[in-house]
Amino acid sequence: MVLENGTDWRPEEPESRGRHADFGSALEAVRKSLAAAGGEGFFDTLKDRWPDLFPGCAARPGRHDGDLLVLYVRSAPALFSMRPKLPAMKRALAALPDAPKKLRLLLEIKT
């Protein structure tokens, strides 16, 4: 077990400890920092808008990293059937007002 003795483990920014009065204020600070990151609002609302944009689509939005959006499908046949539809999906997503400038889509099998 590693102890916080300054030898085995060095804390990052130890002077910033204790700046939140309670857990709720710490969560609020994290939420504000994530909201300030910019561009995340598009990906957060995309999951809610997905059924309206692509009804009956075999792919669903998954994780995102920067301008990369990973779409999850359930099987290899679904992956191969969705691959030709990616350019049209990319155009539809890029047309949304809050979309990133250079959006990339990737298909991944995830059950």
Side-chain angles (χ1 to χ4, degrees):
M1 181 166 126
V2 177
L3 301 174
E4 187 179 337
N5 58 10
T7 304
D8 297 323
W9 181 75
R10 299 210 182 269
E12 293 182 18
E13 303 176 5
E15 65 280 349
S16 66
R17 291 186 179 179
R19 63 182 164 170
H20 299 289
D22 59 357
F23 187 68
S25 67
L27 287 179
E28 184 64 23
V30 169
R31 186 193 64 79
K32 286 181 182 178
S33 69
L34 289 175
E40 300 297 322
F42 171 76
F43 295 109
D44 291 338
T45 61
L46 185 60
K47 291 182 182 183
D48 297 330
R49 295 189 285 183
W50 192 260
D52 298 329
L53 291 170
F54 306 105
C57 183
R60 64 191 188 279
R63 69 180 189 277
H64 58 86
D65 183 23
D67 60 351
L68 173 68
L69 174 63
V70 180
L71 300 176
Y72 293 152
V73 293
R74 292 188 178 265
S75 63
L79 184 134
F80 288 113
S81 70
M82 289 302 301
R83 192 173 286 167
K85 299 176 184 176
L86 281 181
M89 293 174 78
K90 183 177 177 181
R91 284 191 299 274
L93 291 173
L96 296 174
D98 51 351
K101 297 286 184 199
K102 294 183 178 181
L103 181 65
R104 295 180 298 143
L105 298 178
L106 178 71
L107 288 171
E108 185 176 289
I109 299 173
K110 183 149 183 134
T111 56

